[in-house]
Amino acid sequence: MPDPVITAAASQITTCRANGHVPVIRTFFDNPTFTATHVVHDPATRSAAIIDSVMDYDPASGKTDHDLAQEIVDYIAAEKLKVEWVLETHVHADHLSAAPWLQERVGGRLGIGDAILRVQDIFGKLFNAGTRFARDGSQFDELFHDGARFTLGSLPAIALHVPGHTPADMAYIIGDAAFIGDTLFMPDYGTARADFPGGDARTLYHSIRRLLSLPDETRVFLCHDYMAPGRDEYAWETTIGAERRGNIHVHDGVDESTFVQMRTARDATLSLPNLIMPSVQVNMRGGNLPEPEDNGVSYIKIPVSKS
């Protein structure tokens, strides 16, 4: 049975490409966390969105900074862009979001998938966040459901739910471009892990096949690149066709059971991201630090296991 959301997204992509109504994309890459932040704008209206921003964080000292985010602010000013959206593809476990800092300087509505409520429930319990931590998504301005339509200036856009890496992963199809977060990496690197709380390799496979049903010519922008062996430059743009033909984990012909077996075995060998503890606690709050304690200082919790 046809997927109506994918059908709508495919139609949007084809129409935008045929009409030349496509977004301009500038990417800012954060080497310490291997994260690509995309600034996408409509050339007709100069309306812009910032996708998956990064706040600098030193885990040894607890110091935060915004050097990369400032580069984005400077670019937006130089290009005379109007920020409508600050979008998160999911609650990241490898970097801290700069969304609130950016909103203070350039505006925009903060959006994420509506399954953030499940993520907030899972990690609110894991970190014993207490009753002051709202688990209703109210830290965000917009909670997108699967198939939600929105606009970026005069560009049409569709939100696509692609869980598996986490329960709340979203892809945003803006014009002819898909911003897919942590689902696929460059074809020579493969796919995202699925072993975080609420993640699932089988669900990830179905989300990826959903993405790979988009037109081959769809431009695809990734959230991370870890530079596969044999490549000497970071990359974050590919196409659906390139992923279908050449992704080393999930190219056409790889069935569900083969993928799940591979992904599960591979995940068992991976260590946790260096910034997972601060990242999740900040990002589940929409990029805000935990509420300050009675001394006015915010703290990151680290659960301790006796075994």
Side-chain angles (χ1 to χ4, degrees), residues 154-271:
S154 62
L155 287 168
I158 296 177
L160 179 65
H161 189 210
V162 286
H165 173 61
T166 79
D169 282 64
M170 297 297 291
Y172 301 104
I173 317 299
I174 301 175
D176 72 326
F179 302 86
I180 65 171
D182 291 12
T183 49
L184 293 165
F185 297 135
M186 292 299 290
D188 60 2
Y189 202 86
T191 58
R193 66 194 298 168
D195 60 331
F196 294 148
D200 181 77
R202 198 169 301 278
T203 301
L204 179 62
Y205 178 83
H206 287 285
S207 292
I208 289 171
R209 294 313 309 178
R210 204 174 182 213
L211 285 169
L212 296 183
S213 298
L214 293 169
D216 279 1
E217 63 271 18
T218 304
R219 293 188 289 164
V220 174
F221 292 85
L222 313 175
C223 186
H224 295 287
D225 184 51
Y226 301 100
M227 201 185 298
R231 180 155 50 86
D232 57 7
E233 292 184 349
Y234 291 110
W236 45 77
E237 181 179 355
T238 181
T239 66
I240 289 296
E243 294 283 7
R244 288 184 59 190
R245 292 187 297 270
N247 188 286
I248 60 171
H249 292 167
V250 71
H251 56 79
D252 283 352
V254 175
D255 63 24
E256 180 178 335
S257 61
T258 300
F259 175 80
V260 170
Q261 183 178 13
M262 177 283 301
R263 189 69 264 169
T264 302
R266 181 173 171 80
D267 288 350
T269 70
L270 300 177
S271 58

Side-chain angles (χ1 to χ4, degrees), residues 30-266:
D30 182 58
N31 288 75
T33 63
F34 309 101
T35 304
T37 298
H38 307 292
V39 179
V40 49
H41 79 263
D42 172 15
T45 64
R46 315 301 291 175
S47 296
I50 303 169
I51 302 175
D52 291 333
S53 64
V54 177
M55 176 172 67
D56 306 309
Y57 176 77
D58 176 20
S61 65
K63 181 182 177 182
T64 62
D65 213 332
H66 298 89
D67 292 343
L68 188 69
Q70 184 61 56
E71 290 183 32
I72 292 170
V73 170
D74 294 343
Y75 169 76
I76 287 166
E79 295 296 318
K80 297 181 172 57
L81 304 180
K82 300 171 292 184
V83 176
E84 290 187 358
W85 293 101
V86 180
L87 300 174
E88 301 286 356
T89 56
H90 63 294
V91 170
H92 307 275
D94 40 28
H95 70 271
L96 283 67
S97 171
W101 189 89
L102 285 165
Q103 284 183 291
E104 289 179 2
R105 286 154 182 81
V106 297
R109 290 171 56 77
L110 179 58
I112 200 168
D114 58 6
I116 182 63
L117 277 65
R118 183 179 171 199
V119 174
Q120 289 179 329
D121 183 60
I122 291 170
F123 286 108
K125 292 174 181 175
L126 180 63
F127 290 107
N128 195 29
T131 56
R132 292 190 298 177
F133 170 53
R135 294 162 170 81
D136 58 3
S138 57
Q139 300 87 346
F140 301 85
D141 301 310
E142 186 78 27
L143 302 182
F144 293 103
H145 63 267
D146 184 44
R149 293 176 179 265
F150 61 107
T151 59
L152 181 63
S154 62
L155 287 168
I158 296 177
L160 179 65
H161 189 210
V162 286
H165 173 61
T166 79
D169 282 64
M170 297 297 291
Y172 301 104
I173 317 299
I174 301 175
D176 72 326
F179 302 86
I180 65 171
D182 291 12
T183 49
L184 293 165
F185 297 135
M186 292 299 290
D188 60 2
Y189 202 86
T191 58
R193 66 194 298 168
D195 60 331
F196 294 148
D200 181 77
R202 198 169 301 278
T203 301
L204 179 62
Y205 178 83
H206 287 285
S207 292
I208 289 171
R209 294 313 309 178
R210 204 174 182 213
L211 285 169
L212 296 183
S213 298
L214 293 169
D216 279 1
E217 63 271 18
T218 304
R219 293 188 289 164
V220 174
F221 292 85
L222 313 175
C223 186
H224 295 287
D225 184 51
Y226 301 100
M227 201 185 298
R231 180 155 50 86
D232 57 7
E233 292 184 349
Y234 291 110
W236 45 77
E237 181 179 355
T238 181
T239 66
I240 289 296
E243 294 283 7
R244 288 184 59 190
R245 292 187 297 270
N247 188 286
I248 60 171
H249 292 167
V250 71
H251 56 79
D252 283 352
V254 175
D255 63 24
E256 180 178 335
S257 61
T258 300
F259 175 80
V260 170
Q261 183 178 13
M262 177 283 301
R263 189 69 264 169
T264 302
R266 181 173 171 80

